[in-house]
Amino acid sequence: AAVIGGLLAIILYSGILKMTANMTVDQDTTTVIEEVLVGENISISGIVEETSPAVVQISRSNSQGVESLGSGVIVDASLGYVVTCYHVVAEYGDLTVNLLDGRVTTASRVGSDPNSDLAVLKLQDTGSLTAIELGDSTKLKVGQTAIAIGSPLSLDYANTVTLGIISGLDRDVTYTLDRGGGVVRRPLQTDAAVGGGSGGGALLNSLG
């Protein structure tokens, strides 16, 4: 049993080395597994480090205080445009945005589409921003790596990272709108944990 177990371990390790041929042999096991999971020779920690500055926390408040909290992603660094979910910002209330570097700025609504639950904001402070590159969801395949970055529950958990895969595509889901009526959306499905407050945050592939 020991001999067979040893042979299986050698075969498995050889397979990992073939999948990561351009990696040095002296890398630790954690890095090897991480690279194999991502499959693009870019580490998960590297992707998170590169993209986290583009993920922001959005608070919507009125005269009675903070009403909701969500996340968003900067998609244009020069103009300060942020994409988020419509339900995070709605059509009323003042918007405050927290950046990863500690800055706090206000934002104005540029446009929104409640049916697709999307909204675009413009940050007042547009200095030294990092933007995220938008991918093409039509090219996704079930089983691909999915990395979620958002702020579940509160600002105390800003830029929380979870890892999973794309679990399904074009799911047929009917949503009830705030103003009444329903709309059918066809979202993708992931098992990367996304909690309340993470809505509007980043869902990344293995290229970030």
Side-chain angles (χ1 to χ4, degrees):
V3 173
I4 294 174
L7 288 173
L8 289 175
I10 292 172
I11 293 171
L12 176 60
Y13 185 67
S14 298
I16 291 176
L17 287 180
K18 289 178 181 178
M19 294 175 69
T20 57
N22 62 339
M23 296 174 59
T24 57
V25 178
D26 61 348
Q27 287 180 298
D28 58 45
T29 305
T30 302
T31 303
V32 171
I33 294 174
E34 187 178 76
E35 297 285 359
V36 172
L37 280 174
V38 174
E40 296 287 352
N41 294 324
I42 303 175
S43 69
I44 294 169
S45 58
I47 290 173
V48 172
E49 182 178 3
E50 181 180 346
T51 58
S52 279
V55 181
V56 301
Q57 293 76 53
I58 304 168
S59 300
R60 174 165 57 94
S61 61
N62 55 24
S63 58
Q64 297 178 343
V66 176
E67 189 171 50
S68 71
L69 174 74
S71 304
V73 292
I74 300 172
V75 294
D76 189 311
S78 60
L79 296 176
Y81 284 147
V82 171
V83 170
T84 184
C85 291
Y86 172 78
H87 75 263
V88 171
V89 298
E91 296 175 351
Y92 60 90
D94 298 326
L95 301 176
T96 301
V97 177
N98 291 65
L99 306 177
L100 183 64
D101 61 11
R103 282 182 292 167
V104 180
T105 184
T106 58
S108 58
R109 297 168 178 81
V110 176
S112 62
D113 179 16
N115 288 341
S116 60
D117 196 26
L118 286 174
V120 178
L121 312 178
K122 181 175 175 57
L123 302 179
Q124 182 183 44
D125 185 350
T126 59
S128 301
L129 298 177
T130 297
I132 207 167
E133 182 180 351
L134 295 179
D136 184 352
S137 60
T138 64
K139 296 180 180 179
L140 285 176
K141 294 182 179 179
V142 174
Q144 285 184 315
T145 300
I147 306 167
I149 306 178
S151 303
L153 304 178
S154 72
L155 290 172
D156 294 334
Y157 300 99
N159 289 74
T160 292
V161 180
T162 57
L163 175 67
I165 61 171
I166 299 299
S167 306
L169 301 170
D170 297 322
R171 298 303 197 195
D172 193 349
V173 181
T174 301
Y175 293 83
T176 301
L177 300 177
D178 292 338
R179 61 179 182 275
V183 60
V184 176
R185 300 181 185 140
R186 302 189 65 82
L188 60 86
Q189 179 185 357
T190 179
D191 66 348
V194 180
S198 293
L203 187 66
L204 308 167
N205 65 10
S206 59
L207 295 175

